[in-house]
Structure formats: C-alpha cells, structure tokens
Amino acid sequence: MNITTILLIIINFTGSIAVFLFAMKMMSEGLQKVAGSRMRAVLGKMTGKPLSGIMTGTAVTAAIQSSSATTVMVVSFVNAGLLSLSGAVAVIMGANIGTTVTAWIITLLGLGGGSGYFDLPLCIAAASLAFFFMKRDKMHSIGQTIIGLALLLVGMRCLQNAMPDLGNYPSMLHGLASLSGYGFWSVILFVAIGAVLTCVVQASAATMAITLLMLHNGWIGLDVAIALVMGENIGTTVTANIAAMVAGINGKRAARAHLVFNVIGVTLTLILFRPILSVVQMVFPDDAPMALSLFHTMFNVMNVGVQSWFIPQIVWIVTRMVPEKKVETENNDYRLTYISRGPVGTAELNLQSAKKELQLFSKQVLRMYALLPDLRTVRNMKEMDAVVGHIERYEQLTDRMDMEITKFLTAVGSGGVSAHGSERISTMMRVSDNLESIGDSILQIALTRKNKYSDAVHFSDSQNANLAEMSALVENALLVMDGNLVDYDRADLDAANAAEREINLCRDRLRNEHLEALKHGRYGYEVGNAYSSLYAQYEKLADYIINISEAIVGGKQRQKILH
C-alpha cells in the first residue's frame, strides 16, 4: 500500500463520515423542529419520578435521534432549575435507551443491499418532495427529516465503499488479529479504543456505524465489536461534560452523572461479558450486526433496569465529585445562571433556558430599580456615591446579560429552527434589548439625582411627592412586566397597557403643572430642569417596559398564525 492509496482511503473515509454526520444533524434538526415546542413543554413540566424521567429521556432521544443533544439539554435544564438532579439522572438513563434506535436504523436500512446503488435512499428522498410542496412550516420540517434519513443511508453506503478490502492487506488483518488475541485484556483495550474514537469524532452514531461496518465486513469479531460499543457509551459522555464546563454546579453534576452511569454500566457488563455474548449469539447466530444491535439495546436497558434503583446513590457520588464552592454562590448575581457558555447543541430545545435567564434578568432590573429611593435619603456625597456605584454595577451586569443572551439566541437561531422557534427567538431578543434599556434608564435617573445633589438643587415637598407617585406607578408597571415574563401564553397586555396609561396621565399632569409653575416663577431654571428631566426619564423607562409585554403578546399571536 503506497502513500497515494493511503491518502485516497483517508480522504474517502473522512468525506463519508462528513456526509454521515451532516445527515444525522439534518435529521435531528428536522425532528426537533417538528417536536421542539412539545419537547420543551414535556421536559419543563416533568415530575421527579424516576420512571417518568426514564420514559421522557427515551422518548425525547428516540424522537430527536441524538443522545448528546438530550444530555446537553438536560445539563442546561438542571442549570436552569427546571429539573432536579435526580430527575436529570433519570432522563439521562432514558436517553441511553433512546439512542439505541439509531443502531437499529443503520443495521436494518444502512447495511441492506438493493438492486441499485442508491435505490432505497433515492426512494426516501423522493418521498420528501411531497412535504416541500406544502405550505405549512411543519411539513417542510418533516421533509427535512426524511431527506436527512436518505442522506444517512447514502453516508452509510459511502462508508461501505470507502472501507478498504483488508483481504488485500494481510498485515493489517494480522494487526487486528493480534490485538484481539489477549483474551479479556483485549476486551478492555477495545473498550478504551471505542471511548477514544467517540471522543475524537464527537458522535457515537458515527462510531457505531463504523463498528457495524467492520463487523459486517468480518474484520473484527462480535466480542471486539461489543467492547467498542461499550467504549462508545463512555466516549459519548464527553459532549455533555464539555457543555457543563461553564455551567453551574448542578449542571456539572448532571454531566458527571452521565459519565458515572455509563462507567458503572460498562463495569457491570464486563463482569457478565461472556454470558451476555452467548445470549446475543444464540438469538442471532448468523447475523453479527443484528446481534450487536441487540447487545446495544440489552446493554442500555439492563443498566437502566439495575441503576434506576440507585439514583439517590448516583446523586450522592456526583455531589461529592463536584462539591459546593463558596465563590460560585458569592458571584451568582454577576454571572449568567441558566444559560451555558458551552456549545449550543439543540436549536429548538434550548429556548427554555433562555426564557429562564430573561426572568432572572427581569429580577435583576427590579433589584436595580429598588435602589433608586435610597438616593432621596442619602446624608452626604459618600453615601450618594455608594448607592450610584451599586446601580452602575447593576447596569454593567445588564449590559453583560444582554450581550450573553443575544449571543446565545443568535447561536440557537443559526442552528436551524422552525418558524415557530424563530419567532420565539425574535421575541426574546427584543425582550432582552428592552431590559438592557431599562437598566440604562435607571442609571440615568440615578446620575440625574447625583448631579442634582452635587449642585445643591432642592425640590419642594410637592415635587418630591409627584416624583414618588411617578416612581410607584413605574414600579407597578415593572411588576406587571415581570409577571408576563413567567408565562408567555398568559401574558396580560391589558394590565400592562393600563399601567402605561397611568404613567402617561401622570406625566402629562406633571408637565402641565411644571409649565404653569415656570410661568409664575415658583422655582428657578436649575430646579425646573432637574425636575422635568426626572419625570421624563421615568416615562421613557415605562416605554421600554410596555415594549416587553407587547413583544411577548405580539410574538405569541404570530406563532398562532404560523401553526
């Protein structure tokens, strides 16, 4: 085998893997677009019962064809407080069962023959055309899923053709045979190889496809293939652990639970390796790929059946693997809590974390606004600087949160979302932008108060009472807005508009009284300028508040039209 031949094999093999991975991504994204909003609802309302979690994890992973997507999503949901750690462990267990569907698809469809090279893939792709001629967005998503399946089969055929005939290279066959000749230690070795290979490829489906092809071609025995599959189950946990590197403490624990579950499962299976091998060989004595697919399913079902009784113990283990750190709780107010800064793996299913982050954003704005009354009671410039400094730090936080949320939503949108998901992203971006603008307005009010104090400008009792009234009306509007951010489907635009009208009426009354006072010379220019500037800034802040409720309700109405 010369260098040119080796390079051609590598190029063909890499290209085939690329087609396979692209097909998996397309099929998974299509399925997410079809079922994304329902999956968010299911996971968001899931109970803490183990059986419920296992069934949910199985169904979600089977539906979106990506265990990595499910586990990354679970990490973000735990991070967001939407799932308990024990609930997350149950979902992860179910995800391991759901991912076995991929192996059966590859075995039953990808390794089959046909009268023509692309007969089955082209028939499947042709079936998708009917969906693309339909106007509904969901039909297009179904068409994308079907084409993804067709490309998956094309990728499998490409992989089959890219695989060199090792019969022509006896030295390579001898090398594989020698690695398989150390008994139980060979099994351990191939478990490690499977784990490393999956870590590199970052897709257990791809390594499963390669393993099935090697077994189908007779290059490896069933025992070696089973060892590789066990290693792949460990290697696939890397994706969730990478995503959890920048997550909160519970997100990290959920990712570790995925690793612990699979390591324990592989250990138990190694103990019973020979009996399990005998069972699958007995069921499919003449079809090694079917036997491997059966093992893959048995491996995960048996592990879930055993370990589901020990979820509290797994939680105990991961809690000690990732202990509580004081620095995380102290800095919690100044960092994103629910959105992971790791890779974005699930376009349609990450929006719940963003929604939760926007709710926290709103709470931060409310805390920031609650500092403004302190500016009226300071006794000296030192106290004034302390309060304004605190508000400035909050304003810097709002800038950072807006930037991170917008960056996250942009990444989610670029991953391929349905029209429904795209509309939700647009709404959330508008909400985030207006929350940041509210933070800017609060800081401007604080700076105006500080300038007034430094210039020794004093308001009359009636002016202070008027500004306090305006401040209370704006606070009420903020509370209505905060409530609307909890449940978009029940957002109360009427209450938000009523609060806005009260603020506008108060602003109009204060402006008329102010013009009348200036006309009669009741106070000077500096007092009048500071006074009018403050009530105008409160009214401007209220405009950003109503924008948020309008964005939520408008987005909800547009989503209904899309459905």
Side-chain angles (χ1 to χ4, degrees), residues 74-81 83-86 88-89 92 240-241 243-258 314-332 335-341:
V74 166
V75 167
S76 67
F77 273 39
V78 172
N79 209 38
L83 275 176
S84 66
L85 188 54
S86 58
V89 173
I92 287 168
N241 278 279
M245 287 175 65
V246 288
I249 188 167
N250 283 325
K252 288 183 173 69
R253 287 170 175 171
R256 298 297 188 279
H258 191 206
I314 293 174
V315 170
W316 183 86
I317 292 170
V318 298
T319 300
R320 274 141 190 82
M321 288 175 71
V322 186
E324 192 82 44
K325 292 184 180 179
K326 185 177 277 188
V327 66
E328 289 190 342
T329 57
E330 288 175 352
N331 293 334
N332 188 56
R335 66 191 291 266
L336 289 174
T337 302
Y338 301 128
I339 290 176
S340 168
R341 294 179 181 86

Side-chain angles (χ1 to χ4, degrees), residues 34-49:
V34 173
S37 58
R38 290 192 183 92
M39 294 303 175
R40 288 197 301 271
V42 167
L43 280 165
K45 297 176 182 177
M46 200 195 80
T47 67
K49 296 178 181 178

Side-chain angles (χ1 to χ4, degrees), residues 218-467:
W219 300 351
I220 57 175
L222 182 59
D223 55 344
V224 170
I226 287 175
L228 286 171
V229 168
M230 286 193 288
E232 289 157 15
N233 274 265
I234 295 175
T236 195
T237 65
V238 171
T239 305
N241 278 279
I242 290 173
M245 287 175 65
V246 288
I249 188 167
N250 283 325
K252 288 183 173 69
R253 287 170 175 171
R256 298 297 188 279
H258 191 206
L259 174 63
V260 168
F261 169 77
N262 281 291
V263 169
I264 291 174
V266 167
T267 303
L268 292 174
T269 305
L270 285 172
I271 295 171
L272 301 171
F273 185 78
R274 293 301 169 188
I276 292 173
L277 178 61
S278 299
V279 169
V280 296
Q281 284 178 324
M282 183 174 62
V283 176
F284 292 107
D286 302 318
D287 195 334
M290 288 289 286
L292 182 62
S293 297
L294 176 63
F295 165 78
H296 192 210
T297 302
M298 284 178 56
F299 169 78
N300 286 290
V301 170
M302 285 169 30
N303 282 324
V304 170
V306 172
Q307 294 190 58
S308 61
W309 297 97
F310 299 97
I311 289 177
Q313 286 73 25
I314 293 174
V315 170
W316 183 86
I317 292 170
V318 298
T319 300
R320 274 141 190 82
M321 288 175 71
V322 186
E324 192 82 44
K325 292 184 180 179
K326 185 177 277 188
V327 66
E328 289 190 342
T329 57
E330 288 175 352
N331 293 334
N332 188 56
D333 286 341
Y334 295 94
R335 66 191 291 266
L336 289 174
T337 302
Y338 301 128
I339 290 176
S340 168
R341 294 179 181 86
V344 178
T346 49
E348 288 286 329
L349 299 173
N350 271 309
L351 297 182
Q352 194 70 25
S353 297
K355 180 184 175 184
K356 200 76 175 175
E357 195 68 55
L358 288 171
Q359 292 174 29
L360 176 62
F361 199 166
S362 176
K363 292 290 188 293
Q364 299 284 26
V365 166
L366 284 169
R367 293 190 191 102
M368 185 181 181
Y369 188 81
L371 293 171
L372 289 179
D374 295 343
L375 296 172
R376 299 199 300 265
T377 59
V378 295
R379 293 168 296 181
N380 51 54
M381 185 54 75
K382 183 178 180 180
E383 290 183 4
M384 174 65 74
D385 287 338
V387 177
V388 172
H390 199 176
I391 291 174
E392 285 177 335
R393 287 193 293 276
Y394 265 110
E395 194 277 332
Q396 291 168 4
L397 172 64
T398 62
D399 288 345
R400 193 157 64 248
M401 292 185 79
D402 177 48
M403 181 184 69
E404 293 287 350
I405 290 170
T406 302
K407 187 192 303 180
F408 176 80
L409 290 172
T410 301
V412 171
S414 66
V417 293
S418 63
H420 180 277
S422 180
E423 187 58 51
R424 179 62 68 91
I425 290 171
S426 178
T427 296
M428 288 181 170
M429 283 185 168
R430 189 177 171 194
V431 168
S432 181
D433 180 59
N434 279 279
L435 284 170
E436 191 274 333
S437 296
I438 290 172
D440 290 342
S441 293
I442 294 172
L443 179 59
Q444 287 304 311
I445 291 171
L447 293 175
T448 300
R449 284 278 185 184
K450 180 179 179 181
N451 292 335
K452 165 189 163 297
Y453 190 89
S454 62
D455 293 340
V457 173
H458 301 288
F459 292 152
S460 65
D461 290 343
S462 63
Q463 286 175 317
N464 281 323
N466 287 337
L467 289 172

